[in-house]
Amino acid sequence: MIGKYIRERLSWILLVLFLQGLLLLVAYLDTAIPFLPMLYIVFLSLLLFTGFLLVRYVKESRFYKGLASWEDDYDLSSIAHPESPFEAIALDRLTLQTERFKKESSQHLVELEQEKDDLLSWIHEVKTPLTTMQLIIDRMDDEALKSQLMYEWLRIHLLLDQQLHQKRIPFMKNDVYIEKTVLEAVIYKEIKALRSWCLQKGIGFDVSLSAKEVLTDEKWLGFILRQLLTNAVKYSGASSDIFIESEEVEGRVRLRIRDFGRGIDPKDLPRIFDKGFTSTTMHKDSAATGMGLYLAQKSAEVLSIRIEVESKPGEGSTFSLIFPKRNEFVDLIRPWPMGM
């Protein structure tokens, strides 16, 4: 800060030094003026000016130090009270801008909340005709047409489900309830939801669960599994199997989902959980949204679940969910259910 202050007052410092040098030059050229007394006067003047400069630095930099350390949180109390008219002008303008930004930010939050509520309401309204469509499709006799329609119905359902959970994730901690969850029930529920798609592609599941239960939120775990299973089915070839297995290692349950699809290019692995990222090898795939793995990762972070992935192009991918130990749930805001 002192370097900046010197640069700010450099013109004044140079002016004082120039004037003192001019006095010495006049005393040197004019023999009527004693040079040594003048040199003494200049020395005292510079000494006093240095002290004055230090005092002014302490006084004038106090305001700007507070401004430099101010965190952009709309709280101006950390900034020192202005000591000069210019500092008062700066603080007044900063206060006005802060108040304006606070007002605009509050307005935008209200608008975003209203938009979120409208979208959630629309999604729930759309689910009603979707349910009706499913009942109509179930009554169809043409199995080939029925299978195709169910596949398209499922795609719409999954996209709406993604959109619904995307809007809920920012407030997910308000909806988390940690309890003993039976893995088999959650997994088979999600497999059943994808049944029509799997039948169309001839895909089967091999489920082997050594670890039967985990401590987590059942609803959000189902959403995470839905995204991983959807990807596994989507990128698996026809008449292939998807293996699901679990085990407990050092107090942590590891759930693995392995497919034998096209796999993931090594250069894409660091980016697969990025929002909107689809693929570099299949970049023209307009059906991919790049949201499934992103939403799964965001949900897993709140539940303290770690997602790991191993993949080789042409050989398939393995996604692993590593569940935390019981004492690692301290970051979740909901209390433990009774009887656990």
Side-chain angles (χ1 to χ4, degrees):
M1 181 63 74
I2 191 168
K4 294 179 180 179
Y5 180 78
I6 291 175
R7 287 197 298 272
E8 176 69 21
R9 295 288 181 259
L10 186 60
S11 58
W12 293 90
I13 295 172
L14 292 176
L15 176 62
V16 171
L17 293 177
F18 173 76
L19 292 176
Q20 300 304 313
L22 182 61
L23 288 177
L24 291 176
L25 179 62
V26 170
Y28 177 76
L29 296 177
D30 190 347
T31 56
I33 301 176
F35 182 78
L36 288 178
M38 184 58 67
L39 182 62
Y40 183 65
I41 292 173
V42 167
F43 171 74
L44 290 177
S45 298
L46 290 176
L47 192 63
L48 290 173
F49 176 70
T50 302
F52 171 79
L53 200 64
L54 290 173
V55 171
R56 293 304 303 173
Y57 163 73
V58 173
K59 189 172 184 180
E60 293 179 16
S61 65
R62 187 181 299 115
F63 175 79
Y64 295 103
K65 282 181 179 178
L67 191 61
S69 61
W70 174 55
E71 296 182 0
D72 190 11
D73 56 359
Y74 299 145
D75 183 11
L76 301 177
S77 60
S78 60
I79 302 177
H81 185 75
E83 302 266 346
S84 69
F86 284 151
E87 291 177 0
I89 291 174
L91 186 60
D92 288 343
R93 297 306 303 172
L94 191 60
T95 302
L96 288 175
Q97 290 294 324
T98 301
E99 292 299 323
R100 182 170 69 86
F101 288 147
K102 286 170 67 175
K103 184 177 179 180
E104 291 180 355
S105 177
S106 177
Q107 183 179 352
H108 290 159
L109 286 175
V110 172
E111 292 174 355
L112 286 173
E113 187 67 23
Q114 182 62 45
E115 182 181 349
K116 178 181 77 74
D117 292 341
D118 292 343
L119 181 59
L120 292 178
S121 176
W122 178 83
I123 291 173
H124 284 295
E125 289 179 6
V126 171
K127 283 187 173 183
T128 301
L130 272 179
T131 304
T132 305
M133 287 175 60
Q134 184 182 17
L135 295 175
I136 295 173
I137 293 171
D138 287 339
R139 292 199 297 266
M140 294 180 64
D141 296 327
D142 189 334
E143 291 298 329
L145 181 59
K146 179 179 179 179
S147 177
Q148 292 177 3
L149 288 175
M150 279 301 298
Y151 169 66
E152 297 301 332
W153 177 91
L154 181 62
R155 287 180 60 188
I156 298 173
H157 173 73
L158 292 175
L159 288 172
L160 286 174
D161 183 68
Q162 274 191 1
Q163 190 63 241
L164 178 65
H165 284 83
Q166 182 181 357
K167 294 301 180 182
R168 287 176 172 174
I169 281 177
F171 314 97
M172 181 178 165
K173 283 193 173 182
N174 299 328
D175 190 39
V176 168
Y177 183 72
I178 303 301
E179 60 183 345
K180 284 185 179 179
T181 301
V182 180
L183 283 174
E184 185 177 15
V186 181
I187 291 170
Y188 277 107
K189 179 182 177 182
E190 299 305 324
I191 291 176
K192 184 179 179 181
L194 301 174
R195 181 178 57 185
S196 60
W197 192 6
C198 294
L199 289 174
Q200 188 182 57
K201 296 188 68 174
I203 292 176
F205 287 89
D206 188 328
V207 181
S208 176
L209 304 176
S210 297
K212 304 293 185 181
E213 296 180 338
V214 292
L215 290 173
T216 191
D217 183 282
E218 181 177 343
K219 180 176 68 175
W220 283 99
L221 174 61
F223 173 72
I224 296 170
L225 291 174
R226 199 173 311 142
Q227 307 314 305
L228 300 182
L229 291 174
T230 300
N231 268 14
V233 174
K234 180 178 181 181
Y235 297 116
S236 290
S239 302
S240 64
D241 286 341
I242 296 172
F243 289 83
I244 303 175
E245 57 185 8
S246 68
E247 62 179 348
E248 184 171 344
V249 180
E250 297 179 354
R252 299 177 190 273
V253 174
R254 177 185 290 265
L255 178 66
R256 280 190 288 266
I257 301 173
R258 183 184 180 190
D259 66 72
F260 297 91
R262 73 186 190 193
I264 303 171
D265 195 293
K267 66 177 179 292
D268 290 345
L269 279 175
R271 303 175 60 191
I272 60 174
F273 295 108
D274 292 348
K275 186 176 182 179
F277 179 76
T278 54
S279 172
T280 56
T281 55
M282 300 289 289
H283 196 60
K284 294 182 180 179
D285 184 5
S286 58
T289 63
M291 295 299 295
L293 292 180
Y294 166 76
L295 296 175
Q297 174 75 348
K298 286 294 181 183
S299 306
E301 287 175 357
V302 179
L303 297 178
S304 300
I305 298 174
R306 190 169 75 253
I307 302 180
E308 295 180 353
V309 57
E310 300 174 9
S311 183
K312 291 183 180 180
E315 297 183 14
S317 305
T318 300
F319 283 84
S320 299
L321 299 181
I322 296 94
F323 293 85
K325 298 178 181 179
R326 174 169 178 165
N327 58 1
E328 292 176 348
F329 279 102
V330 293
D331 293 332
L332 297 179
I333 59 174
R334 289 280 182 174
W336 289 93
M338 297 298 293
M340 288 182 55

